[in-house]
Amino acid sequence: MKAWAICASAIVLAGCTTTATKVATVSFEKPGAGSTILLMKPDITLAALTASGVGEPRADWMASASQNLSAEAREFAQSKGLQVKEFDPAAAEDQRVQQVIKLNSAVSQSIRMHAYALALPSKTTFDWTLGDGAKSLADREGATYALFINGSGTYSTAGRAMMQIFAAAAGVGIAGGGQSVFVSLVELKTGRVMWTNAVLAGPNDMRKPEGADLLAKSLFKDAPL
């Protein structure tokens, strides 16, 4: 947690990009060429960090970042010979599918907390799962795996950047904007989370296609597809 906080606070002055992959401790059957992977619409929350330190949500930033990361994920999966089927969780009407999506959000939060930030002493294996309910997505969409992407963060406004400069001159450090992205690969027939990666975006601006392209290189670097 501290390492992530230090990096995020330093982004305006220096910029850094870190990755941290986790792989399930169970055997993994790599999807064959032509297999269908379900690409969930990236859930991205971004805000403008004002001079006073208040985050003001920006719907336009969220939309562009989601669109850019979705395009990168689609291109990556297709480069592995996979068929991509895109899915917007907001449009899900089947209650079973809605439950799987909600469960994934909860499990992803737990993974970020306990596999990356504050490791549980009693949990020594990476064996997270969404349960058998994930099979409903496999049956409904004809996919073997699903790729979930979540991101959040802030970008400093000009006013906030000036505040940082003045504060630094006075020997005081104040946080600037910082963004992180989390991706997980789920085996739908079992619900097992097979692989995850957590990335601090650093200087790679996901709101722009070129920034998202650079970010994706780190995000999908070790994906077992």
Side-chain angles (χ1 to χ4, degrees), residues 85-171:
K85 189 169 186 179
E86 300 187 51
F87 189 92
D88 184 354
E93 297 180 355
D94 189 308
Q95 289 188 348
R96 294 175 302 171
V97 172
Q98 290 178 355
Q99 288 300 316
V100 172
I101 293 169
K102 291 178 181 178
L103 181 57
N104 175 75
S105 296
V107 170
S108 293
Q109 289 178 7
S110 294
I111 293 174
R112 289 196 295 269
M113 175 61 70
H114 300 303
Y116 289 95
L118 302 173
L120 293 173
S122 60
K123 192 169 184 59
T124 58
T125 58
F126 190 84
D127 56 358
W128 301 87
T129 179
L130 305 188
D132 295 338
K135 191 173 182 298
S136 62
L137 265 176
D139 295 339
R140 182 183 177 87
E141 303 299 329
T144 53
Y145 292 90
L147 196 62
F148 294 85
I149 302 173
N150 297 279
S152 62
T154 59
Y155 289 91
S156 292
T157 60
R160 185 63 175 181
M162 289 300 296
M163 285 289 292
Q164 287 182 272
I165 293 173
F166 293 145

